[in-house]
Amino acid sequence: MQAFVDHVDVAIVIAYLAAMLWIGWRVTGGSRNIEGFTLGGRELPGWLVGMSVLGTFLSSITFLGVPARVYKDGNWNTMAFGLGLPVAAAAAVWFFIPLYRSRVTLSAYELLEQQFGYWARIYAAASFVVLQLIRVAMVLLLVALAVEPLLHWGVEATLITLGLIVIVYDVMGGIKAVIWTDLVQVIVLSLAAIWCLLDIVSLRPGGFAQLWADLPPGSFSVGQWASWDLSLPTFLVVFLYGVSENVRNYGTDQNYVQRMLCTPDAREAAKSIWLGALGYLPLSVIFCAIGTGLFALYRVPVEASAIAPGESPGANVALHTPLPPNTRADQVFPHFIKYELSPWVRGIVVAGLLAAAMSTVDSCLNSMSTVLLVDAVRRLRRRRIIIPEIVTVRLFTAGCGALGTAIAASIYLRHGNASQTLMELWWQYAGVAGSGLFGLFILAWLFPRLPAWSAAVAVLASIPMLVWGTFARREIPSPEWGLDNCPLHPNLVGIAGFVVLVAIAAIAQLAVTAGWIAPNPRTQH
């Protein structure tokens, strides 16, 4: 076992990064106009787009965050999040695909302007860009923390290198570069995960059967089923969060809406959605199993019955390198990769880690640049074009990449030594930042007669709930309600804000029905 990255590993990583740049260069010819850069000419097959959707799901938040959380909690509670994906996919195929393919040209937020005016469109676009910048930062930071001990480049240097490579191939090839590189990245990531799981099992004395026998009860539990305590990450809490977040992704996230528009017809778009959703579930099982295997390897003592005759307990314990004291959950899987894998395999797994990050970051950069161009620059432009739009969208891609990398460095400086896993931090940020965006779309879909001003009031009314739920936290969680304490689990804060928003809008809708306030003139025909 080696405690450093071999030259073979470095060569594999460099070759992989070079291959991503080559793919970006190869598809440059199809990205010389806005239609090609953002939608790939609307000619991409459903299976290929579906692999890209899957790649967007499988970020380093999944590759590293899921095993870290399973290792930390000792159960499969995080799996409840993925179980909400099929529900969201069904909603996307039944409702979102026909809606977007019939009513928008490029941006999901065109719908909101049709319903409530430009303020709603720019609010949604701004919320999306902020959320994606945080996501890019989290993804880059997770992979930088993981590969820095392996490559010894330093966290900041790793962030800059990875961010720069994604920016370059994304700027060159647009959405086609994103989708074709995602295909390669999903394959590399999946093979790396499977190999790691097999290696983890092989290191446990007695193999899989003994590992299963030695695990404590509840190791494969997805959370407390019967509990209604909303301050804890029960199955209900995580499942509700998973359903709401995944429906929000499909219904309001430009990343996914753009892919619904990349295919030649609705049938191919539906194929891409189902492939991404159903493909995520078995891979999520693999990552949860990796977390459980790491838990068994480093936290469950070897039973005497697992020691072969003639061997000493020390011989078995030495099969793996012990964790250093106070190792964070986020660093356990990277420790295993660093010390337990053979050199050339380690290089492939590091490439898989980079693939996990790049497959999400490239999508985010392309969609953010599209939103900034279509919903801001193009919509507000009053004078003739000075800089061509294709140049503008490429500049936005580069700028968003640079800003996301800078935010990652800032989060690292603030949370680098926190006990909370970065996956939990991302779930909390995503729920809060996305609730107003999702709520505004719900108002447009469910309350078409709602006046624009009342939709704005509902959005503003949800903000105090989000602020209170985010910051009114005691050091020791308490179920008591109070101005200084929100008893809801952090994952439910966004849902609570969404409920407040919809409740206010529902009251206004009743007033419209009763004739007390005038209906929305935009929807009166």
Side-chain angles (χ1 to χ4, degrees), residues 254-279:
Q254 179 70 15
N255 280 305
Y256 300 94
V257 174
Q258 218 164 310
R259 283 165 174 73
M260 295 176 193
L261 303 175
C262 282
T263 59
D265 54 49
R267 182 176 180 180
E268 289 297 301
K271 184 189 298 184
S272 71
I273 294 299
W274 281 118
L275 178 59
L278 298 181

Side-chain angles (χ1 to χ4, degrees), residues 72-398:
K72 177 173 174 282
D73 297 342
N75 59 44
W76 285 30
N77 178 244
T78 187
M79 187 67 192
F81 177 87
L83 294 177
L85 256 177
V87 178
V93 171
W94 171 70
F95 183 69
F96 298 137
I97 290 177
L99 176 70
Y100 285 119
R101 291 186 69 91
S102 64
R103 292 188 57 184
V104 306
T105 57
L106 193 54
S107 168
Y109 312 121
E110 296 171 38
L111 275 175
L112 295 177
E113 183 175 11
Q114 296 169 16
Q115 189 87 3
F116 298 126
Y118 183 62
W119 73 267
R121 180 175 181 175
I122 199 64
Y123 167 82
S127 297
F128 171 77
V129 170
V130 169
L131 184 60
Q132 295 310 300
L133 286 172
I134 295 173
R135 187 179 191 190
V136 166
M138 287 292 187
V139 168
L140 287 176
L141 180 54
L142 263 174
V143 77
L145 289 171
V147 303
E148 192 279 330
L150 305 172
L151 300 177
H152 304 295
W153 291 351
V155 173
E156 294 83 355
T158 304
L159 285 172
I160 293 171
T161 301
L162 186 58
L164 183 61
I165 290 173
V166 176
I167 288 170
V168 170
Y169 78 68
D170 210 341
V171 167
M172 286 193 300
I175 194 69
K176 282 191 174 181
V178 169
I179 289 176
W180 279 106
T181 54
D182 283 354
L183 172 64
V184 177
Q185 288 158 356
V186 167
I187 294 171
V188 172
L189 181 150
S190 301
L191 292 176
I194 293 170
W195 195 291
C196 285
L197 179 59
L198 294 176
D199 258 25
I200 290 171
V201 172
S202 70
L203 285 173
R204 181 72 183 181
F208 177 78
Q210 190 61 47
L211 182 149
W212 181 282
D214 291 344
L215 285 170
S219 294
F220 298 96
S221 167
V222 292
Q224 301 178 46
W225 289 87
S227 174
W228 291 92
D229 188 344
L230 299 182
S231 66
L232 300 175
T234 62
F235 174 83
L236 178 64
V237 166
V238 179
F239 179 75
L240 287 176
Y241 176 77
V243 171
S244 66
E245 279 300 291
N246 288 314
V247 170
R248 181 187 63 78
N249 284 338
Y250 285 129
T252 68
D253 191 324
Q254 179 70 15
N255 280 305
Y256 300 94
V257 174
Q258 218 164 310
R259 283 165 174 73
M260 295 176 193
L261 303 175
C262 282
T263 59
D265 54 49
R267 182 176 180 180
E268 289 297 301
K271 184 189 298 184
S272 71
I273 294 299
W274 281 118
L275 178 59
L278 298 181
Y280 180 82
L281 292 179
L283 287 170
S284 184
V285 170
I286 291 173
F287 287 114
C288 285
I290 288 173
T292 298
L294 293 171
F295 182 92
L297 197 64
Y298 295 114
R299 296 176 63 179
V300 177
V302 178
E303 298 292 337
S305 59
I307 302 174
E311 289 186 342
S312 66
N316 286 273
V317 173
L319 284 173
H320 66 269
T321 305
L323 291 173
N326 303 317
T327 301
R328 284 182 52 192
D330 283 327
Q331 292 299 306
V332 174
F333 194 16
H335 172 91
F336 170 83
I337 295 169
K338 178 178 180 179
Y339 288 98
E340 312 304 338
L341 297 179
S342 57
W344 67 273
V345 174
R346 189 165 51 224
I348 294 175
V349 173
V350 172
L353 283 169
L354 299 178
M358 296 165 77
S359 62
T360 295
V361 172
D362 56 14
S363 302
C364 293
L365 298 187
N366 188 272
S367 59
M368 279 191 287
S369 63
T370 301
V371 165
L372 289 171
L373 173 70
V374 176
D375 295 310
V377 173
R378 183 183 287 179
R379 177 62 177 76
L380 295 173
R381 188 176 58 224
R382 292 292 181 267
R383 300 180 180 179
R384 67 182 182 86
I385 299 175
I386 299 176
I387 302 176
E389 286 189 339
I390 190 62
V391 175
T392 301
V393 78
R394 293 183 197 276
L395 290 174
F396 278 143
T397 301

Side-chain angles (χ1 to χ4, degrees), residues 23 44 228:
I23 292 174
L44 300 175
W228 291 92

Side-chain angles (χ1 to χ4, degrees), residues 27-87:
V27 299
T28 301
S31 304
R32 291 175 179 165
N33 55 52
I34 294 299
E35 183 85 358
F37 189 90
T38 58
L39 297 178
R42 301 180 190 263
E43 60 183 14
L44 300 175
W47 70 267
L48 179 60
V49 177
M51 293 297 286
S52 180
V53 171
L54 179 57
T56 303
F57 280 130
L58 294 173
S59 67
S60 53
I61 295 176
T62 302
F63 198 110
L64 296 171
V66 170
R69 179 158 179 177
V70 171
Y71 175 86
K72 177 173 174 282
D73 297 342
N75 59 44
W76 285 30
N77 178 244
T78 187
M79 187 67 192
F81 177 87
L83 294 177
L85 256 177
V87 178

